[in-house]
Amino acid sequence: MTGISRRGLLRGGVVAGAATVLGGVASGAPVHAAGINPTVAGEAAHVRALRKALDDAAAGIVGPHGTDGKGRIIVKAGYAGVPTYTLLNTLVIGGNTVLDATGARFVAKFGTVMRKYTLDRTNQHSPTPEYVTDAQGAFSAPVVSGAKAATMLINHVPGSATTGYSAPGNIMVKGGEWDPVSAWVWEDSGPARARADKAPPMNVLTFIHTQDVEIEGVTVWNVKWWHAVELNAVRRGAVRDCFFKGWVENPTWGLWQGEAVQLDLPLSGNTWAGASDGTPTVDVQVQRNYAGASGSQPSWAKLVGSHTGGQKVGQVHARVLIEGNVVDNAKWDAIGAMNTTSVVIRDNTINNSVGGIYVSSMSARVGGQPPVQVGPNPVSGVDIVDNRVTVTAGASGALRNAVRVSADTVGHVSPVSDVRVTGNQVSGGTFYYTPNVTFRPGTTPQQ
């Protein structure tokens, strides 16, 4: 967001915010049954019961549903007669826990206050519905107030000094429907509903400073501005067989930041909990997911990727597999793996999207206006293989490449090496490779 970072909101009175086999137990200090979840006045009894069950699981107390094969305590949310959980504050999941939400629906209804935002006039956007602004391009919109964080669910992080991947891990979220805006907008119509004017920007599932995280079979509806899943300083994460339907476009940043699944690293403006130590996200699988429109909102800008660079050389995401996903009508590059080394992108289907697959290095930089580049962050090992890509101009007027591999040269040259591009079927777009991109010996880049 322009002017107000998630870290700033977290510190203030307003709160906003390739493949390895998963398994094992993350390190972290034990927690007590007194609870990792906030006590929330006004929540229904079954929501309070779910918070208590998650608190018990975090404390190692096995409930009626036992444990799974990875030693995780199973907490079930979906059961007959109680299909909907209206959350008035962030739900917190501890280590060694499975939240099985199969059959349940989660709705956010956090407290909000109004804040001023600035419309982004630099990048391309979808032209409607337009925001009404003052002469300086500013407008008012709600942000989350008085909640733990502007996310429906977050993992337990013991304290602000938590670094690396040390928060309790070995976590799974399975199934359920997650809806962060409908409680605010269901009675609205027209532009107010299309912009979700009364809803705050939010994440849905956020994980930070932890390891061994699985997200499987969830359905996420109509996220406003931010992300359905954020893996931020996560080691060994998997997002599989999920549906991401509908996104309310963020008018304060370019479309390049609109990932359903965001690979992130905690810096001064985007740390949800723990230290802003720049720990990258590594060993991630994003497989067999779907991103597209819902009945009320258009599609996401991107299914998966990253738009955040590190503050020093070496803060680079690594070993990411993006495989077997389907993306319809993406507003930008459907897959945008930036600042990521050893990435495999294969057997994905991208239909009628503004762009297809974009891989780019990012120089290490310190945030600011503009950011200051402090050193090169080269990446090596890029496989873009056997994808099906159809590119079509979007409502913003943008039209991007079907496949693009770019080496960042702003401030420093961050080369991209050991690249293989082969077997892709494309329509409506082109292949493009910048200087300082080198290919795997013995291979011929697809043109």
Side-chain angles (χ1 to χ4, degrees):
M1 298 177 292
T2 301
I4 306 173
S5 70
R6 283 180 284 174
R7 184 63 166 182
L9 293 174
L10 283 161
R11 285 176 169 161
V14 179
V15 185
T20 53
V21 177
L22 293 175
V25 178
S27 62
V31 295
H32 302 288
I36 59 174
N37 272 275
T39 300
V40 186
E43 281 188 334
H46 64 284
V47 182
R48 297 197 304 271
L50 177 60
R51 291 189 186 277
K52 178 61 165 59
L54 289 170
D55 289 349
D56 287 347
I61 300 171
V62 179
H65 304 293
T67 61
D68 73 352
K70 296 183 179 179
R72 301 175 294 204
I73 297 170
I74 299 170
V75 175
K76 288 195 175 183
Y79 56 95
V82 187
T84 300
Y85 291 76
T86 299
L87 303 176
L88 305 185
N89 201 327
T90 308
L91 197 65
V92 183
I93 186 169
N96 304 315
T97 301
V98 174
L99 173 57
D100 185 349
T102 305
R105 177 175 171 81
F106 290 83
V107 175
K109 193 67 169 69
F110 297 5
T112 63
V113 295
M114 299 302 289
R115 285 281 174 171
K116 185 170 284 188
Y117 295 89
T118 301
L119 202 67
D120 170 47
R121 300 185 188 278
T122 303
N123 299 285
Q124 292 169 299
H125 286 278
S126 300
T128 57
E130 295 182 357
Y131 285 75
V132 178
T133 70
D134 64 19
Q136 286 72 46
F139 66 98
S140 294
V143 295
V144 166
S145 173
K148 184 175 180 64
T151 180
M152 294 181 73
L153 178 143
I154 197 168
N155 64 296
H156 171 59
V157 178
S160 60
T162 303
T163 60
Y165 312 107
S166 61
N170 200 26
I171 298 167
M172 184 178 196
V173 178
K174 180 180 179 181
E177 296 192 41
W178 300 78
D179 188 334
V181 304
S182 66
W184 283 283
V185 306
W186 71 275
E187 290 183 320
D188 288 339
S189 61
R193 183 181 180 91
R195 292 188 301 256
D197 281 351
K198 296 174 184 175
M202 289 182 68
N203 274 9
V204 175
L205 307 176
T206 302
F207 299 89
I208 187 166
H209 283 307
T210 190
Q211 60 185 337
D212 299 304
V213 173
E214 293 180 272
I215 302 156
E216 181 178 293
V218 306
T219 299
V220 177
W221 296 95
N222 300 330
V223 174
K224 181 173 179 177
W225 295 11
W226 294 355
H227 311 292
V229 175
E230 180 168 326
L231 303 177
N232 191 323
V234 170
R235 178 168 61 192
R236 295 187 298 272
V239 183
R240 301 191 185 106
D241 304 309
C242 298
F243 291 88
F244 305 115
K245 296 184 177 182
W247 182 62
V248 182
E249 183 180 325
N250 185 352
T252 71
W253 283 102
L255 288 164
W256 40 264
Q257 62 80 56
E259 299 96 345
V261 180
Q262 158 76 340
L263 310 181
D264 217 338
L265 43 79
L267 303 174
S268 59
N270 62 327
T271 301
W272 294 84
S276 301
D277 64 353
T279 300
T281 291
V282 299
D283 298 311
V284 170
Q285 305 160 352
V286 181
Q287 296 173 292
R288 301 182 304 276
N289 303 288
Y290 173 79
S294 68
S296 60
Q297 296 291 346
S299 184
W300 287 83
K302 299 159 76 172
L303 165 66
V304 58
S306 177
H307 59 265
T308 308
Q311 292 175 325
K312 61 183 180 180
V313 171
Q315 290 177 330
V316 177
H317 309 302
R319 299 177 300 281
V320 175
L321 171 65
I322 303 169
E323 179 182 50
N325 303 284
V326 177
V327 186
D328 288 339
N329 304 301
K331 292 187 173 189
W332 202 244
D333 303 307
I335 295 171
M338 302 167 71
N339 197 43
T340 305
T341 196
S342 299
V343 58
V344 176
I345 303 169
R346 69 182 177 215
D347 194 30
N348 300 283
T349 301
I350 298 168
N351 298 313
N352 300 318
S353 296
V354 166
I357 298 166
Y358 177 50
V359 176
S360 176
S361 58
M362 293 180 70
S363 296
R365 58 186 184 175
V366 176
Q369 295 294 330
V372 177
Q373 277 71 28
V374 296
N377 255 338
V379 300
S380 180
V382 177
D383 286 81
I384 304 173
V385 179
D386 296 338
N387 302 282
R388 296 158 295 280
V389 180
T390 302
V391 172
T392 308
S396 67
L399 181 65
R400 295 178 57 81
N401 299 113
V403 174
R404 180 185 177 102
V405 183
S406 295
D408 187 12
T409 58
V410 177
H412 301 270
V413 176
S414 297
V416 181
S417 62
D418 191 29
V419 177
R420 182 169 72 113
V421 181
T422 186
N424 302 284
Q425 303 173 35
V426 305
S427 174
T430 60
F431 294 85
Y432 186 82
Y433 312 107
T434 71
N436 302 297
V437 171
T438 57
F439 296 87
R440 189 164 304 161
T443 70
T444 301
Q446 198 170 355
Q447 300 288 343

